Amino acid sequence: MAHGTRVALIHVRESRPAAPAYQRLADSLNLRALRTLRDHGWEPSLHAAGDASIASSLAAARNADVVVIMGGEDVHPSFYAGEHDYPRSGVHDLQADDAQITVVREAVERGTPLLGICRGHQIINVALGGDLVQHLPQDGTHRLDLPHGSKRYSFTPHRIELDDQRWADTIDETELVQSSHHQAVGRLGGGLSSVSSAHDGIVEAIAHVESPVLGVQWHPEHPATPARQLTRLVDGLADRAGRNSLTHQFRNPRVAA
């Protein structure tokens, strides 16, 4: 990817007065992503979907070369016909859900490279008609590992298995990944396929079969992971978008180079 590439990091909110510890966690992960991409020569910017209009989020995405949907709260079950009463349902942010879902759908249509991280991974699936496993048993090695209501948030390192070797240049299954989640991708949305999974069958990554859209359940921006884990994902999506564009131009000679 060329230096100066614009990356829009679309997260949930700038402030969570009722959850200051969670806000500090979200801020730290967002800042790590910003620093990692900036150090790599790109031009990242943060945009809070829950603090702005859908039009603002779409404008940020349209003005970027790559879009990243960051982590955050559970997606509201109304977007995938889920049960409203489920274990550890917590707080939802309908405004952020609506905006990020709209951004994902347009990215698929426009062929914009888009990466979803944790919640963003689940947003991709919901945006394209899939659903979620609403609560995982808390005995997994890669899931949420803290008592309900705790002021500390922990992440569990684990390995993933690559289901689709075409993504081997983008996802390194030999590296440990960091996860903290109690929901997971369930029925896959339209045009999506599973790219990697955990030892217990939980879907760890999904990709669109045509557009350069990828979701990962883990946190490549976590400080315990090497910076290359995030940059490789974004690079891989940008490279795929470039190849798709060249193929489209070759098949459609009227398209200007």
Side-chain angles (χ1 to χ4, degrees):
M1 183 184 292
H3 284 260
T5 298
R6 298 161 299 179
V7 183
L9 304 173
I10 302 181
H11 62 117
V12 177
R13 284 195 177 270
E14 295 285 353
S15 175
R16 294 174 174 87
Y22 190 72
Q23 185 65 52
R24 288 192 294 273
L25 171 65
D27 288 344
S28 68
L29 294 173
N30 291 341
L31 289 175
R32 174 82 190 310
L34 273 175
R35 286 195 296 267
T36 298
L37 295 173
R38 190 176 293 127
D39 289 348
H40 207 65
W42 304 335
E43 295 180 1
S45 56
L46 278 171
H47 308 272
D51 295 329
S53 65
I54 292 177
S56 296
S57 294
L58 281 173
R62 290 169 183 167
N63 193 46
D65 300 295
V66 180
V67 177
V68 181
I69 306 291
M70 304 295 290
E73 291 82 353
D74 294 354
V75 182
H76 195 280
S78 63
F79 288 99
Y80 57 92
E83 295 292 331
H84 285 238
D85 184 16
Y86 62 93
R88 302 190 67 157
S89 59
V91 176
H92 299 102
D93 196 314
L94 284 161
Q95 187 171 339
D97 292 344
D98 205 1
Q100 292 180 336
I101 285 170
T102 304
V103 166
V104 168
R105 289 173 177 166
E106 181 168 285
V108 171
E109 292 176 1
R110 293 165 64 99
T112 303
L114 183 143
L115 172 67
I117 295 174
C118 195
R119 163 192 163 89
H121 161 76
Q122 296 169 10
I123 281 279
I124 291 171
N125 196 52
V126 170
L128 299 180
D131 65 10
L132 302 179
V133 178
Q134 291 190 284
H135 186 66
L136 296 167
Q138 295 298 282
D139 57 357
T141 59
H142 64 289
R143 304 193 189 108
L144 200 64
D145 181 24
L146 74 164
H148 186 55
S150 170
K151 294 183 179 180
R152 297 186 62 190
Y153 293 86
S154 61
F155 290 74
T156 303
H158 65 97
R159 297 192 184 280
I160 54 95
E161 298 174 0
L162 201 58
D163 301 329
D164 187 341
Q165 291 299 321
R166 290 174 296 181
W167 288 88
D169 59 341
T170 302
I171 298 173
D172 185 353
E173 63 182 341
T174 68
E175 288 185 348
L176 287 174
V177 299
Q178 297 282 339
S179 291
S180 181
H181 61 102
H182 82 113
Q183 296 192 317
V185 162
R187 185 189 72 254
L188 290 176
L192 295 173
S193 63
S194 175
V195 170
S196 75
S197 57
H199 63 90
D200 55 2
I202 295 297
V203 176
E204 289 288 327
I206 54 176
H208 196 270
V209 296
E210 294 180 354
S211 295
V213 172
L214 174 70
V216 297
Q217 183 61 71
W218 63 88
H219 284 269
E221 83 283 24
H222 191 276
T225 63
R228 66 177 178 272
Q229 197 170 102
L230 176 61
T231 57
R232 189 191 297 119
L233 291 169
V234 179
D235 249 342
L237 286 169
D239 289 346
R240 277 174 165 77
R243 291 198 296 269
N244 288 352
S245 177
L246 288 173
T247 300
H248 179 72
Q249 291 177 26
F250 179 76
R251 292 176 178 174
N252 299 274
R254 294 182 182 179
V255 177

